Amino acid sequence: MAKVLLNQVGFIKNSAKKAVLDFKAADFQIKNDKGESVFSGKVQHFGTDEISGEDVSVADFSELTKEGTYKLFSGDAESVTFAIGDNVYDKLMKDICKCFYFLRCGDALTKEYAGEYYHKPCHMTKATVYGEDVDPVDVTGGWHDAGDYGRYSTAGAVAVAHILYGVRFYKNLLDVKFNIPEVKCDNGTLPDILAEVKVELDFLKKMQRENGSVWHKVTTFCHAPFLMPEDDKGELFLFPVSSMATADIAAVFALASSIYKDYDKAYAETLLSDAKRAYNWLKENPEEKLFKNAEGSNTGEYGEAEDISNRFWAAASLYEVTGEKDYYEDALTQKERLEAFDKNATSKGYQGDVFTCLGWAEVAGLGSLSVLLKNEDNALTDEIKKRFAGEADRLVANGKKNGFGLCMEAKDFIWGSNMELLKYLMILTVTDTEITSKEEYKNAVTAGIDYLLGCNSMDVSYVTGNGEKAFRNPHLRPTAVDDIEEPWPGLVSGGPNVGLQDERAKEVPAGSAPMKCYYDHVDCYSLNEITIYWNSPLVFVMAGLLK
Ligand code: G3I
Ligand code: 9MR
Ligand code: ZN
């Protein structure tokens, strides 16, 4: 059936606006909610592209700026209802922030704030330190990682970092109200976003050992069956320390201290001293300590090939926050090491410039964000700016190769492809707002958000509760068993993955184009799971968009 593919949520008044048609047509019309025609235009034929595999055309209605709700018509096809206005993303923004609240672990959810999605306290027992004969440790709290109930230090640190860099660059995040319990601070209460992030920071603090190092994760030995979190009673294990986790925590605690100091001085001081404790451990342990799952354990591994990008991030973040030259020198040393690694790597777990990679594994780009925040007049800053601008240009060029204006290539459609996209949108956003402002960067961000919210060949919005055809069946344990029809709103799906790495995913028709390697099915953990670090880059990007 002929389809009009567009952003199902809406468009900001002065942004670019387009729909993609998967059929040939000459013209299109837009009607308001009274059925009156308000705009008409000619359709531009694009042709077939590699990522959608379809012969598409584009209907551009950027000139329509009047606030309202509309539908687009072309031939026999019509779009869903969409909005134009400057508040079209208000609900989305609240929803994507509130998601973290719903993912809270421990005794934190209350009916008052969670409503029907309330669950009883979960994962309250102390965790056994795997392979060591020491007392079990209290590591309660934080956020469940994803559709599973694991809590992973590197994943948590990166999610927090996306949000907190968002706060540093775009203050408007501090004004988002999403109805969570108040947290007192020195002069009143914390802004909601900082209250929510503190939940994860408090948990990550518990993941740090006396000697400064950080346990890689706390999970049951194997993934729980589909149960409510409070019914997952398996023994919890703290799996060994990794240098990646320790470095990520040093980086993110330093970053956090730079924000919380304005609200809760004492708390910020503990964050900074914990960051330094982690950093000192790294200095005393220069050898990488990578992570592999224990034999027979199948919870998330979050393995990385090296810890250099993490050490770069830690040094850059601590330098940004303290101004101490030693950290700067360390950042330069790690930068050189990472360049050498990047040059010699036979296979890379990332696309593009490594110094723009924004996690979960490759985190050098997060260090670069600290360099950009510091914005000193030096060679390092100039180089990072060049690298971001270069990457942004590569992404803009990608967007010209498909009818969707999407900055992705076929090889980006891996597990969590929506995060690949969102990381790219972070780069475009930061380049536009902090380095060189260009219309083409803004348009690439808009096109990316359009894709996420429905302008894609699946005709689906990848954010629950946002868009008429939003996905509804995330691989998410509570949602799968809670007997509530809809998942809570604001969850970002992992999205299409040409790897089709779970049994159910094999039902996707063979030979499907990258954009179509998706199935909105609860079993599809490799296509349709959710995670904290797929939501967090969207928080950053929306903050930049609405600044
Ligand atoms: O790096 C390679 C790249 O070189 C190659 O071109 C590409 C093509 O297959 O694959 C890339 O590797 C993928 C890697 O993610 C890169 O991010 C792997 O195939 C893919 O299997 C791997 O998926 C990860 C998945 O765990 C399995 O390990 C996801 O990124 C990661 O988000 C996901 O994380 C899970 C946790 O383990 C548990 N909790 C849920 C969470 C989300 O599904
Ligand atoms: O539910 C798990 C999901 O969170 C993970 O991303 C995924 C990969 O680690 O694993 C899922 O759990 C599956 C397990 O690995 C194998 N048996 C089926 C489980 C899901 O139903
Ligand atoms: Zn829990």
Side-chain angles (χ1 to χ4, degrees):
M1 210 182 65
K3 284 195 288 295
V4 177
L5 309 167
L6 51 61
N7 180 330
Q8 298 167 13
V9 175
F11 303 85
I12 295 179
K13 277 192 205 158
N14 291 319
S15 72
K17 303 175 196 74
K18 64 158 196 320
V20 171
L21 315 180
D22 67 357
F23 55 93
K24 284 226 173 82
D27 37 42
F28 70 99
Q29 263 195 352
I30 294 181
K31 293 183 183 171
N32 64 18
D33 48 9
K34 296 193 197 87
E36 299 158 348
S37 179
V38 294
F39 190 89
S40 60
K42 292 260 169 274
V43 168
Q44 294 284 317
H45 180 234
F46 179 85
T48 307
D49 62 62
E50 193 193 1
I51 56 175
S52 73
E54 275 171 324
D55 186 6
V56 297
S57 296
V58 179
D60 191 322
F61 53 100
S62 303
E63 283 167 32
L64 179 61
T65 55
K66 191 166 184 284
E67 208 166 301
T69 52
Y70 305 95
K71 273 187 175 190
L72 188 150
F73 297 80
S74 181
D76 296 332
E78 65 180 81
S79 74
V80 298
T81 303
F82 61 90
I84 294 180
D86 286 335
N87 302 323
V88 291
Y89 293 135
D90 284 5
K91 171 181 151 52
L92 176 98
M93 189 62 154
K94 279 182 206 292
D95 287 352
I96 61 178
C97 292
K98 180 80 181 249
C99 261
F100 297 96
Y101 174 77
F102 289 120
L103 286 166
R104 284 188 192 186
C105 184
D107 63 354
L109 260 68
T110 67
K111 285 184 185 155
E112 183 186 354
Y113 297 99
E116 59 180 345
Y117 299 110
Y118 165 79
H119 65 74
K120 292 189 205 122
C122 59
H123 305 108
M124 296 295 288
T125 57
K126 288 187 174 176
T128 303
V129 181
Y130 186 76
E132 285 181 39
D133 190 15
V134 297
D135 287 340
V137 183
D138 170 19
V139 286
T140 52
W143 302 319
H144 298 137
D145 182 54
D148 66 319
Y149 294 132
R151 285 167 293 148
Y152 308 85
S153 298
T154 53
V158 166
V160 167
H162 291 147
I163 299 171
L164 293 186
Y165 280 113
V167 168
R168 285 289 302 273
F169 284 113
Y170 313 114
K171 301 276 171 285
N172 58 335
L173 262 184
L174 294 169
D175 302 326
V176 183
K177 303 231 171 357
F178 46 96
N179 190 33
I180 58 165
E182 283 191 343
V183 176
K184 295 259 173 293
C185 64
D186 294 344
N187 303 310
T189 54
L190 285 177
D192 281 357
I193 196 73
L194 298 187
E196 191 52 52
V197 165
K198 187 168 182 293
V199 167
E200 182 70 359
L201 287 169
D202 288 345
F203 156 70
L204 290 171
K205 273 167 160 276
K206 295 181 182 173
M207 292 296 280
Q208 187 172 30
R209 305 194 78 156
E210 274 299 310
N211 68 4
S213 65
V214 176
W215 283 296
H216 195 72
K217 63 173 177 177
V218 55
T219 71
T220 46
F221 200 73
C222 284
H223 282 305
F226 272 44
L227 295 167
M228 285 301 282
E230 61 267 35
D231 298 326
D232 176 21
K233 303 279 194 203
E235 183 176 3
L236 292 172
F237 291 97
L238 278 159
F239 288 100
V241 158
S242 73
S243 47
M244 293 86 72
T246 307
D248 289 7
I249 261 50
V252 84
F253 281 5
L255 170 68
S257 76
S258 75
I259 295 171
Y260 286 83
K261 73 174 178 5
D262 296 336
Y263 300 90
D264 186 337
K265 211 158 171 287
Y267 184 63
E269 278 165 14
T270 67
L271 285 166
L272 188 56
S273 67
D274 288 347
K276 290 181 177 171
R277 225 156 34 88
Y279 198 83
N280 291 340
W281 183 89
L282 290 171
K283 293 290 277 186
E284 283 158 19
N285 294 271
E287 289 288 305
E288 63 187 14
K289 204 169 173 337
L290 304 183
F291 187 83
K292 273 259 161 246
N293 265 350
E295 183 76 33
S297 166
N298 74 352
T299 54
E301 186 164 74
Y302 290 113
E304 298 182 34
E306 38 76 20
D307 70 357
I308 313 170
S309 75
N310 318 72
R311 286 176 190 261
F312 171 74
W313 179 25
S317 176
L318 270 153
Y319 177 62
E320 193 268 318
V321 174
T322 66
E324 289 168 27
K325 280 284 172 222
D326 284 355
Y327 295 121
Y328 182 72
E329 296 303 324
D330 286 356
L332 292 182
T333 308
Q334 298 302 337
K335 179 172 155 289
E336 269 176 35
R337 292 182 65 212
L338 190 58
E339 278 162 351
F341 172 87
D342 184 64
K343 210 164 123 207
N344 298 327
T346 44
S347 86
K348 293 181 191 174
Y350 49 87
Q351 309 292 341
D353 187 326
V354 67
F355 287 96
T356 66
C357 288
L358 300 163
W360 53 259
E362 210 41 73
V363 292
L366 297 171
S368 299
L369 294 183
S370 288
V371 174
L372 292 176
L373 279 172
K374 193 83 177 164
N375 201 18
E376 285 182 329
D377 189 6
N378 60 25
L380 177 64
T381 312
D382 289 348
E383 181 182 336
I384 296 297
K385 287 184 177 174
K386 275 206 193 82
R387 286 176 179 273
F388 268 69
E391 186 67 4
D393 291 340
R394 178 180 82 85
L395 297 171
V396 167
N398 282 349
K400 296 190 173 135
K401 295 180 205 154
N402 62 77
F404 297 78
L406 186 65
C407 59
M408 298 168 81
E409 297 178 281
K411 51 180 179 263
D412 294 318
F413 288 83
I414 55 175
W415 192 319
S417 65
N418 282 337
M419 186 200 194
E420 298 308 300
L421 167 64
L422 290 168
K423 288 185 294 189
Y424 289 159
L425 300 190
M426 283 179 69
I427 295 167
L428 288 157
T429 300
V430 168
T431 307
D432 182 49
T433 64
E434 311 302 311
I435 303 171
T436 330
S437 179
K438 285 191 186 169
E439 207 54 29
E440 58 184 9
Y441 298 156
K442 290 190 216 309
N443 291 345
V445 173
T446 303
I449 294 295
D450 289 350
Y451 167 88
L452 191 78
L453 298 176
C455 190
N456 56 63
S457 348
M458 295 307 303
D459 196 17
V460 68
S461 163
Y462 288 113
V463 182
T464 53
N466 287 267
E468 254 177 56
K469 298 183 189 170
F471 85 107
R472 305 178 58 175
N473 304 296
H475 182 86
L476 171 58
R477 280 170 172 70
T479 298
V481 297
D482 65 6
D483 286 328
I484 302 170
E485 179 94 357
E486 292 280 331
W488 63 79
L491 295 159
V492 176
S493 168
N497 166 15
V498 294
L500 302 170
Q501 284 152 285
D502 60 75
E503 274 313 303
R504 181 71 63 188
K506 308 265 189 296
E507 290 176 22
V508 170
S512 293
M515 220 191 260
K516 288 184 168 169
C517 289
Y518 175 74
Y519 186 10
D520 180 16
H521 194 293
V522 61
D523 293 348
C524 289
Y525 53 81
S526 76
L527 312 179
N528 208 32
E529 193 165 351
I530 63 97
T531 79
I532 52 176
Y533 55 86
W534 294 340
N535 261 70
S536 54
L538 183 57
V539 172
F540 182 104
V541 172
M542 292 313 292
L545 196 73
L546 302 175
K547 110 186 167 90

